[in-house]
Amino acid sequence: MKSVIFAVVLSLPLPAFAAGVMQIKAADHSCGEIAQIIRQNKKVFVRVGFGGRSFRYPPAQCSLGDMRSTASFRDGGGKQCVLDYACIYDPASSYNFP
């Protein structure tokens, strides 16, 4: 039974474990709409293709072990979006060492 629960947990996407994170598809919105959704919801996971990017607003609120950066992707209309409040993995952070 434990292995079944463990398999189900591993099959869930990682952003599903973070409380209060809204998930949206970049292809369903324009750049302006995505920026507005991030400002309103504070924590958003934007799906882009098979993966995605995590965004936090305000920009200084990234989690421990993450750093703020810019992220670029295409919206639903094919326009290039560049958002400056992406939270990405920081390999230099002391929180990412065991």
Side-chain angles (χ1 to χ4, degrees):
M1 184 65 179
K2 287 182 182 179
S3 61
V4 171
I5 293 172
F6 186 67
V8 169
V9 168
L10 288 178
S11 67
L12 294 173
L14 186 58
F17 295 113
V21 176
M22 179 180 185
Q23 293 189 32
I24 61 170
K25 290 184 180 180
D28 294 344
H29 303 280
S30 69
C31 294
E33 290 172 345
I34 293 171
Q36 185 67 25
I37 290 169
I38 294 169
R39 279 189 219 104
Q40 288 176 345
N41 294 292
K42 308 296 183 206
K43 296 180 193 176
V44 178
F45 185 79
V46 179
R47 292 227 172 259
V48 182
F50 292 115
R53 303 267 185 197
S54 293
F55 293 89
R56 288 255 183 135
Y57 191 85
Q61 298 297 319
C62 288
S63 300
L64 298 174
D66 289 343
M67 66 179 182
R68 189 181 80 162
S69 182
T70 59
S72 63
F73 53 87
R74 298 215 179 262
D75 67 1
K79 181 181 172 191
Q80 186 76 19
C81 299
V82 178
L83 299 177
D84 65 348
Y85 33 85
C87 294
I88 61 170
Y89 178 80
D90 183 6
S93 174
S94 60
Y95 291 101
N96 293 328
F97 294 110

